[in-house]
Amino acid sequence: MGIVAEYNPFHTGHAYQINQTRRMVGWESAVVAVMSGNWVQQADCAVADKWTRARLALMSGVDLVLELPTVWATASAEAFARGAVAILEGCGVVDVLSFGSECGQVPPLAQAAECLDSPAYRWELARCLADGCSFAAARQEAVGILLGKETAELLSTPNNNLGVEYLRALRGMESRIRPVTVQRAGDPHGTLRQEGARSRFLSATQIRGYLKEERWGLARPYLPPGTTEVLKESWNGFPSLSHLERAMLAKVRTMEGEDWAALPDSGASEGLPRRLVGAGRQACSMEEFFALAKTKRYSHARLRRLALRALLGIGRENIPYSPPYVRVLGFNSRGQNLLREMRERASLPVLTKPAHAHRLDPVGRQLFELEARCTDLYDLCLETIQTPGREWTTGPIRL
């Protein structure tokens, strides 16, 4: 079975999803996780590098960890899902896709997914956007008009929303992978609890807050055994974009409208590049930049993704239509058996060593070199700067 995740970090909620999915599809099912690399969808650094997070996943129930390249890992939900599902499809050994959702049922999410791919939806979306709504609000309103308020409200929560995008991706690829969903338990995404309050699960946001302050004892109950020890062993301070604040500010101050328009999801037809240029010419910090550029239509999350992609050098021309390879970040003995199967069944080249990138076609090689640059920039976000080139020297984790 396949799972798409950031594991930022791997916590007890992730272990719960694996156990519940195995309860549904069979306890002997191997788990293939497509995991974001060093940069995550919140347009931020991952709490630990991708090899450390792959190790933690392998320690806690995953058998094979594959990388979701940064160009998809830092994208909107639609592109994020499309890239991840393409990797699961391309590896040739996955027959089930498991994802968490607030509603816990596939049929209503599938109904919403079908609606989002219909001509009627596109017409209603255009009308709602013309009224000045943000994309998320217009999307939900358009679905409400076509399917009713109850179905539309499914799109108001992050895991349902991402689940719908997985289903759309499966439909678009005419995939034979069967979707199943596990109802999300515990705190909603992004929730912060009062200190001392107890729960079986804690949001990743809260756990990252504890790790940032190095309050290991508070985080430990919500992390699988051995996690805090591995994190402490590799700890190089909490990764933070604040180390690149001036570099990001320099970037946005020197970008012209055509530079912003060349970025994915830049809203070139909506006048967003012009607004971003104006914000860049006035801001003295990145938070001020986001505050100046933000409107009802342009969310803070979208602006953060654009600024990060500008820093990383991710333009439309850097993003292939679909992933050109499968990159292995880690595996255990059962995962090694899956890799043997993939030699016969994968429709994409499988990279088990960095040197294998030299064999890729130009599109694949260009993407790998971009990933190497993204890793070098991630390493500048650590307390002690790492020697560049880790992407080319670090092989998969083996447990």
Side-chain angles (χ1 to χ4, degrees):
M1 67 176 172
I3 290 175
V4 182
E6 291 184 328
Y7 293 151
N8 188 35
F10 193 105
H11 55 68
T12 51
H14 297 126
Y16 173 82
Q17 181 195 1
I18 291 173
N19 289 334
Q20 290 299 107
T21 306
R22 280 185 164 141
R23 186 187 301 275
M24 288 188 280
V25 304
W27 288 104
E28 296 306 312
S29 295
V31 178
V32 178
V34 175
M35 187 188 78
S36 302
N38 291 325
W39 299 95
V40 294
Q41 201 188 21
Q42 295 88 348
D44 206 349
C45 320
V47 70
D49 69 50
K50 55 192 175 186
W51 297 284
T52 300
R53 288 168 28 250
R55 178 182 296 279
L56 296 176
L58 294 169
M59 289 167 52
S60 305
V62 175
D63 300 299
L64 176 63
V65 182
L66 308 176
E67 180 177 19
L68 180 62
T70 300
V71 298
W72 290 285
T74 58
S76 64
E78 181 179 356
F80 177 95
R82 189 172 63 246
V85 170
I87 290 173
L88 290 175
E89 182 74 18
C91 73
V93 296
V94 172
D95 56 4
V96 171
L97 168 58
S98 170
F99 59 88
S101 67
E102 287 84 4
C103 77
Q105 302 175 66
V106 169
L109 299 176
Q111 185 183 22
E114 187 174 356
C115 176
L116 292 175
D117 288 326
S118 69
Y121 162 77
R122 288 190 287 274
W123 190 90
E124 292 291 351
L125 177 68
R127 187 184 62 79
C128 296
L129 286 172
D131 291 339
C133 294
S134 68
F135 178 79
R139 182 172 182 260
Q140 190 171 334
E141 183 179 342
V143 171
I145 291 168
L146 297 170
L147 296 181
K149 184 178 179 180
E150 185 176 350
T151 300
E153 285 180 349
L154 292 173
L155 302 177
S156 67
T157 51
N159 293 281
N160 281 346
N161 192 47
L162 195 51
V164 166
E165 295 301 339
Y166 293 140
L167 296 173
R168 290 182 70 197
L170 291 171
R171 279 170 49 85
M173 297 174 199
E174 298 182 349
S175 175
R176 295 183 180 181
I177 296 175
R178 175 170 64 94
V180 300
T181 187
V182 175
Q183 187 163 25
R184 196 179 191 282
D187 293 338
H189 174 78
T191 299
L192 297 177
R193 279 179 166 263
Q194 292 288 335
E195 189 169 319
R198 286 292 176 180
S199 172
R200 182 180 174 190
F201 305 111
L202 206 61
S203 73
T205 303
Q206 182 78 76
I207 294 170
R208 287 193 296 272
Y210 289 151
L211 296 179
K212 183 176 183 178
E213 297 170 359
E214 298 187 23
R215 303 173 80 180
W216 305 101
L218 291 176
R220 190 186 300 272
Y222 305 101
L223 301 172
T227 297
T228 53
E229 287 73 20
V230 170
L231 288 173
K232 283 183 177 181
E233 182 182 341
S234 61
W235 198 246
N236 188 358
F238 190 85
S240 174
L241 264 173
S242 63
H243 293 297
L244 294 180
E245 171 89 6
R246 293 196 176 196
M248 293 187 77
L249 197 56
K251 186 70 178 177
V252 301
R253 282 188 176 188
T254 55
M255 288 181 71
E256 302 295 341
E258 57 267 28
D259 301 320
W260 287 111
L263 298 177
D265 197 29
S266 64
S269 62
E270 306 164 9
L272 178 56
R274 185 170 61 252
R275 187 174 185 87
L276 292 168
V277 170
R281 299 292 188 269
Q282 299 176 63
C284 292
S285 70
M286 286 309 298
E287 285 310 310
E288 185 180 6
F289 170 80
F290 297 131
L292 289 168
K294 186 181 183 302
T295 67
K296 180 180 177 182
R297 186 162 187 173
Y298 309 133
S299 69
H300 193 82
R302 181 180 180 183
L303 298 174
R304 287 183 65 87
R305 285 199 298 269
L306 283 169
L308 178 63
R309 287 177 158 212
L311 177 72
L312 298 178
I314 300 175
R316 286 195 183 93
E317 75 281 1
N318 301 121
I319 305 180
Y321 178 74
S322 63
Y325 57 78
V326 174
R327 172 82 183 280
V328 179
L329 292 179
F331 56 90
N332 60 18
S333 57
R334 184 152 58 173
Q336 192 167 29
N337 292 333
L338 286 175
L339 287 173
R340 293 191 186 101
E341 288 186 47
M342 286 166 60
R343 290 175 189 165
E344 304 296 326
R345 300 168 64 178
S347 60
L348 294 172
V350 179
L351 309 187
T352 54
K353 296 179 181 179
H356 291 167
H358 294 293
R359 307 175 190 170
L360 295 170
D361 63 19
V363 172
R365 176 62 186 263
Q366 181 186 45
L367 183 66
F368 192 93
E369 289 174 347
L370 173 60
E371 201 64 50
R373 182 167 76 237
C374 291
T375 294
D376 288 343
L377 289 171
Y378 172 86
D379 284 345
L380 293 177
C381 297
L382 302 175
E383 193 170 293
T384 302
I385 295 175
Q386 304 294 293
T387 302
R390 279 209 293 167
E391 198 72 29
W392 291 100
T393 60
T394 309
I397 300 298
R398 303 185 183 199
L399 289 187

PDB file of all heavy atoms in Angstrom, residues 187-205:
ATOM      1  N   ASP A 187      -6.107  16.183  17.294  1.00  0.00           N
ATOM      2  CA  ASP A 187      -6.264  17.615  17.044  1.00  0.00           C
ATOM      3  C   ASP A 187      -6.296  17.923  15.556  1.00  0.00           C
ATOM      4  O   ASP A 187      -5.584  17.296  14.770  1.00  0.00           O
ATOM      5  CB  ASP A 187      -5.112  18.387  17.682  1.00  0.00           C
ATOM      6  CG  ASP A 187      -5.136  18.319  19.198  1.00  0.00           C
ATOM      7  OD1 ASP A 187      -6.219  18.054  19.744  1.00  0.00           O
ATOM      8  OD2 ASP A 187      -4.083  18.533  19.820  1.00  0.00           O
ATOM      9  N   PRO A 188      -7.099  18.909  15.138  1.00  0.00           N
ATOM     10  CA  PRO A 188      -7.078  19.347  13.747  1.00  0.00           C
ATOM     11  C   PRO A 188      -5.707  19.874  13.361  1.00  0.00           C
ATOM     12  O   PRO A 188      -4.908  20.261  14.209  1.00  0.00           O
ATOM     13  CB  PRO A 188      -8.131  20.473  13.717  1.00  0.00           C
ATOM     14  CG  PRO A 188      -8.986  20.239  14.916  1.00  0.00           C
ATOM     15  CD  PRO A 188      -8.092  19.629  15.945  1.00  0.00           C
ATOM     16  N   HIS A 189      -5.476  19.890  12.058  1.00  0.00           N
ATOM     17  CA  HIS A 189      -4.206  20.392  11.519  1.00  0.00           C
ATOM     18  C   HIS A 189      -3.926  21.805  12.033  1.00  0.00           C
ATOM     19  O   HIS A 189      -4.788  22.677  12.008  1.00  0.00           O
ATOM     20  CB  HIS A 189      -4.273  20.405   9.988  1.00  0.00           C
ATOM     21  CG  HIS A 189      -3.087  21.018   9.335  1.00  0.00           C
ATOM     22  ND1 HIS A 189      -1.888  20.358   9.190  1.00  0.00           N
ATOM     23  CD2 HIS A 189      -2.899  22.243   8.780  1.00  0.00           C
ATOM     24  CE1 HIS A 189      -1.030  21.133   8.578  1.00  0.00           C
ATOM     25  NE2 HIS A 189      -1.603  22.286   8.308  1.00  0.00           N
ATOM     26  N   GLY A 190      -2.709  22.022  12.540  1.00  0.00           N
ATOM     27  CA  GLY A 190      -2.299  23.356  12.971  1.00  0.00           C
ATOM     28  C   GLY A 190      -2.711  23.741  14.377  1.00  0.00           C
ATOM     29  O   GLY A 190      -2.402  24.839  14.838  1.00  0.00           O
ATOM     30  N   THR A 191      -3.391  22.819  15.093  1.00  0.00           N
ATOM     31  CA  THR A 191      -3.884  23.151  16.427  1.00  0.00           C
ATOM     32  C   THR A 191      -2.740  23.261  17.432  1.00  0.00           C
ATOM     33  O   THR A 191      -1.800  22.462  17.419  1.00  0.00           O
ATOM     34  CB  THR A 191      -4.869  22.064  16.909  1.00  0.00           C
ATOM     35  OG1 THR A 191      -5.964  22.025  16.009  1.00  0.00           O
ATOM     36  CG2 THR A 191      -5.376  22.363  18.316  1.00  0.00           C
ATOM     37  N   LEU A 192      -2.831  24.242  18.320  1.00  0.00           N
ATOM     38  CA  LEU A 192      -1.891  24.391  19.431  1.00  0.00           C
ATOM     39  C   LEU A 192      -2.654  24.177  20.730  1.00  0.00           C
ATOM     40  O   LEU A 192      -3.672  24.823  20.977  1.00  0.00           O
ATOM     41  CB  LEU A 192      -1.249  25.785  19.416  1.00  0.00           C
ATOM     42  CG  LEU A 192      -0.401  26.115  18.184  1.00  0.00           C
ATOM     43  CD1 LEU A 192       0.117  27.540  18.275  1.00  0.00           C
ATOM     44  CD2 LEU A 192       0.745  25.138  18.034  1.00  0.00           C
ATOM     45  N   ARG A 193      -2.180  23.277  21.583  1.00  0.00           N
ATOM     46  CA  ARG A 193      -2.842  22.954  22.841  1.00  0.00           C
ATOM     47  C   ARG A 193      -2.251  23.759  23.993  1.00  0.00           C
ATOM     48  O   ARG A 193      -1.096  24.168  23.962  1.00  0.00           O
ATOM     49  CB  ARG A 193      -2.679  21.464  23.166  1.00  0.00           C
ATOM     50  CG  ARG A 193      -3.665  20.576  22.428  1.00  0.00           C
ATOM     51  CD  ARG A 193      -3.408  19.118  22.793  1.00  0.00           C
ATOM     52  NE  ARG A 193      -4.542  18.318  22.354  1.00  0.00           N
ATOM     53  CZ  ARG A 193      -5.540  17.959  23.138  1.00  0.00           C
ATOM     54  NH1 ARG A 193      -5.538  18.318  24.397  1.00  0.00           N
ATOM     55  NH2 ARG A 193      -6.535  17.237  22.675  1.00  0.00           N
ATOM     56  N   GLN A 194      -3.051  23.893  25.028  1.00  0.00           N
ATOM     57  CA  GLN A 194      -2.525  24.458  26.271  1.00  0.00           C
ATOM     58  C   GLN A 194      -1.501  23.499  26.858  1.00  0.00           C
ATOM     59  O   GLN A 194      -1.697  22.276  26.834  1.00  0.00           O
ATOM     60  CB  GLN A 194      -3.670  24.652  27.287  1.00  0.00           C
ATOM     61  CG  GLN A 194      -4.677  25.720  26.895  1.00  0.00           C
ATOM     62  CD  GLN A 194      -4.110  27.121  27.015  1.00  0.00           C
ATOM     63  OE1 GLN A 194      -3.179  27.355  27.784  1.00  0.00           O
ATOM     64  NE2 GLN A 194      -4.652  28.042  26.245  1.00  0.00           N
ATOM     65  N   GLU A 195      -0.402  24.044  27.339  1.00  0.00           N
ATOM     66  CA  GLU A 195       0.633  23.182  27.913  1.00  0.00           C
ATOM     67  C   GLU A 195       0.061  22.405  29.093  1.00  0.00           C
ATOM     68  O   GLU A 195      -0.645  22.946  29.934  1.00  0.00           O
ATOM     69  CB  GLU A 195       1.823  24.019  28.360  1.00  0.00           C
ATOM     70  CG  GLU A 195       3.027  23.187  28.757  1.00  0.00           C
ATOM     71  CD  GLU A 195       4.270  24.033  28.948  1.00  0.00           C
ATOM     72  OE1 GLU A 195       4.488  24.949  28.144  1.00  0.00           O
ATOM     73  OE2 GLU A 195       5.000  23.766  29.913  1.00  0.00           O
ATOM     74  N   GLY A 196       0.358  21.096  29.105  1.00  0.00           N
ATOM     75  CA  GLY A 196      -0.148  20.239  30.170  1.00  0.00           C
ATOM     76  C   GLY A 196      -1.379  19.460  29.766  1.00  0.00           C
ATOM     77  O   GLY A 196      -1.710  18.451  30.382  1.00  0.00           O
ATOM     78  N   ALA A 197      -2.098  19.916  28.711  1.00  0.00           N
ATOM     79  CA  ALA A 197      -3.275  19.182  28.231  1.00  0.00           C
ATOM     80  C   ALA A 197      -2.802  17.903  27.558  1.00  0.00           C
ATOM     81  O   ALA A 197      -1.829  17.895  26.809  1.00  0.00           O
ATOM     82  CB  ALA A 197      -4.066  20.046  27.255  1.00  0.00           C
ATOM     83  N   ARG A 198      -3.515  16.816  27.816  1.00  0.00           N
ATOM     84  CA  ARG A 198      -3.092  15.513  27.320  1.00  0.00           C
ATOM     85  C   ARG A 198      -4.030  15.029  26.219  1.00  0.00           C
ATOM     86  O   ARG A 198      -5.222  15.287  26.231  1.00  0.00           O
ATOM     87  CB  ARG A 198      -3.069  14.480  28.459  1.00  0.00           C
ATOM     88  CG  ARG A 198      -1.890  14.662  29.405  1.00  0.00           C
ATOM     89  CD  ARG A 198      -0.581  14.340  28.706  1.00  0.00           C
ATOM     90  NE  ARG A 198       0.581  14.576  29.535  1.00  0.00           N
ATOM     91  CZ  ARG A 198       1.832  14.369  29.139  1.00  0.00           C
ATOM     92  NH1 ARG A 198       2.054  13.944  27.923  1.00  0.00           N
ATOM     93  NH2 ARG A 198       2.831  14.619  29.945  1.00  0.00           N
ATOM     94  N   SER A 199      -3.463  14.314  25.262  1.00  0.00           N
ATOM     95  CA  SER A 199      -4.224  13.739  24.170  1.00  0.00           C
ATOM     96  C   SER A 199      -3.427  12.563  23.635  1.00  0.00           C
ATOM     97  O   SER A 199      -2.204  12.516  23.786  1.00  0.00           O
ATOM     98  CB  SER A 199      -4.468  14.773  23.070  1.00  0.00           C
ATOM     99  OG  SER A 199      -5.034  14.176  21.940  1.00  0.00           O
ATOM    100  N   ARG A 200      -4.139  11.630  22.996  1.00  0.00           N
ATOM    101  CA  ARG A 200      -3.434  10.501  22.393  1.00  0.00           C
ATOM    102  C   ARG A 200      -2.563  10.968  21.231  1.00  0.00           C
ATOM    103  O   ARG A 200      -1.492  10.432  20.982  1.00  0.00           O
ATOM    104  CB  ARG A 200      -4.458   9.467  21.910  1.00  0.00           C
ATOM    105  CG  ARG A 200      -3.838   8.224  21.315  1.00  0.00           C
ATOM    106  CD  ARG A 200      -4.929   7.263  20.867  1.00  0.00           C
ATOM    107  NE  ARG A 200      -4.386   6.119  20.174  1.00  0.00           N
ATOM    108  CZ  ARG A 200      -5.110   5.219  19.508  1.00  0.00           C
ATOM    109  NH1 ARG A 200      -6.431   5.367  19.475  1.00  0.00           N
ATOM    110  NH2 ARG A 200      -4.557   4.204  18.899  1.00  0.00           N
ATOM    111  N   PHE A 201      -3.066  11.957  20.502  1.00  0.00           N
ATOM    112  CA  PHE A 201      -2.334  12.498  19.361  1.00  0.00           C
ATOM    113  C   PHE A 201      -2.172  14.002  19.532  1.00  0.00           C
ATOM    114  O   PHE A 201      -2.962  14.648  20.216  1.00  0.00           O
ATOM    115  CB  PHE A 201      -3.082  12.212  18.050  1.00  0.00           C
ATOM    116  CG  PHE A 201      -3.392  10.762  17.825  1.00  0.00           C
ATOM    117  CD1 PHE A 201      -4.697  10.303  17.881  1.00  0.00           C
ATOM    118  CD2 PHE A 201      -2.387   9.859  17.549  1.00  0.00           C
ATOM    119  CE1 PHE A 201      -4.996   8.974  17.680  1.00  0.00           C
ATOM    120  CE2 PHE A 201      -2.668   8.520  17.345  1.00  0.00           C
ATOM    121  CZ  PHE A 201      -3.975   8.066  17.411  1.00  0.00           C
ATOM    122  N   LEU A 202      -1.156  14.534  18.870  1.00  0.00           N
ATOM    123  CA  LEU A 202      -0.907  15.972  18.900  1.00  0.00           C
ATOM    124  C   LEU A 202      -0.623  16.414  17.469  1.00  0.00           C
ATOM    125  O   LEU A 202      -0.066  15.652  16.679  1.00  0.00           O
ATOM    126  CB  LEU A 202       0.304  16.264  19.785  1.00  0.00           C
ATOM    127  CG  LEU A 202       0.397  17.645  20.464  1.00  0.00           C
ATOM    128  CD1 LEU A 202      -0.787  17.870  21.395  1.00  0.00           C
ATOM    129  CD2 LEU A 202       1.701  17.758  21.228  1.00  0.00           C
ATOM    130  N   SER A 203      -1.005  17.623  17.126  1.00  0.00           N
ATOM    131  CA  SER A 203      -0.753  18.101  15.764  1.00  0.00           C
ATOM    132  C   SER A 203       0.749  18.234  15.528  1.00  0.00           C
ATOM    133  O   SER A 203       1.528  18.501  16.452  1.00  0.00           O
ATOM    134  CB  SER A 203      -1.437  19.451  15.539  1.00  0.00           C
ATOM    135  OG  SER A 203      -0.749  20.480  16.230  1.00  0.00           O
ATOM    136  N   ALA A 204       1.143  18.053  14.267  1.00  0.00           N
ATOM    137  CA  ALA A 204       2.553  18.202  13.916  1.00  0.00           C
ATOM    138  C   ALA A 204       3.038  19.616  14.204  1.00  0.00           C
ATOM    139  O   ALA A 204       4.205  19.820  14.558  1.00  0.00           O
ATOM    140  CB  ALA A 204       2.766  17.856  12.439  1.00  0.00           C
ATOM    141  N   THR A 205       2.137  20.591  14.062  1.00  0.00           N
ATOM    142  CA  THR A 205       2.500  21.981  14.363  1.00  0.00           C
ATOM    143  C   THR A 205       2.954  22.127  15.809  1.00  0.00           C
ATOM    144  O   THR A 205       3.976  22.758  16.099  1.00  0.00           O
ATOM    145  CB  THR A 205       1.299  22.912  14.099  1.00  0.00           C
ATOM    146  OG1 THR A 205       0.882  22.755  12.746  1.00  0.00           O
ATOM    147  CG2 THR A 205       1.667  24.366  14.363  1.00  0.00           C
TER     148      THR A 205
END
